[in-house]
Amino acid sequence: MPIITVQFIKDVVATPEQKRELIEKLTDTFVGVLGEVVRPYVYCLIQETPQAEWGIAGKPMPDLAFLTGPQYADYHAKANAIMSSVIGGAPPTEPEPVKDWGS
């Protein structure tokens, strides 16, 4: 049985209507690739993590000051420089500003 798993931060990322739409469209996409024969067996799970039970770069989230501040931007710049040197790509560009998805 195929299982599609989507993970969200609880009460931040998606509304109940958006979750229902994701379940429908993810299932339809899976069936579109493998055929209608799999539809009855496709499970689509949405797992939500409470806001205080996750983190980025060792910082518990949500911490918007950290995500929009210079330390996090510096982490990205250093990681991009390392990746660029490994793959020989163009120098990294400035990271895009973090969007406020909670409003």
Side-chain angles (χ1 to χ4, degrees):
M1 110 187 101
I3 301 172
I4 301 168
T5 304
V6 180
Q7 295 181 303
F8 288 126
I9 306 306
K10 187 169 177 52
D11 300 325
V12 172
V13 178
T15 66
E17 295 79 18
Q18 289 169 321
K19 292 174 196 174
R20 282 192 292 278
E21 185 176 351
L22 276 169
I23 290 169
E24 291 173 20
K25 289 185 176 181
L26 289 169
T27 300
D28 289 344
T29 299
F30 198 92
V31 169
V33 172
L34 296 177
E36 275 300 321
V37 68
V38 300
R39 185 178 296 278
Y41 310 106
V42 176
Y43 288 61
C44 189
L45 307 175
I46 294 179
Q47 299 175 337
E48 294 184 293
T49 300
Q51 289 190 31
E53 296 181 12
W54 67 285
I56 297 176
K59 296 282 188 176
M61 290 290 131
D63 184 343
L64 295 180
F66 170 72
L67 287 175
T68 58
Q71 184 180 16
Y72 192 58
D74 187 47
Y75 287 159
H76 276 280
K78 287 178 182 174
N80 286 341
I82 292 167
M83 287 188 282
S84 182
S85 71
V86 170
I87 62 172
T93 59
E94 288 294 315
E96 298 218 8
V98 176
K99 295 178 182 176
D100 181 9
W101 295 103
S103 54

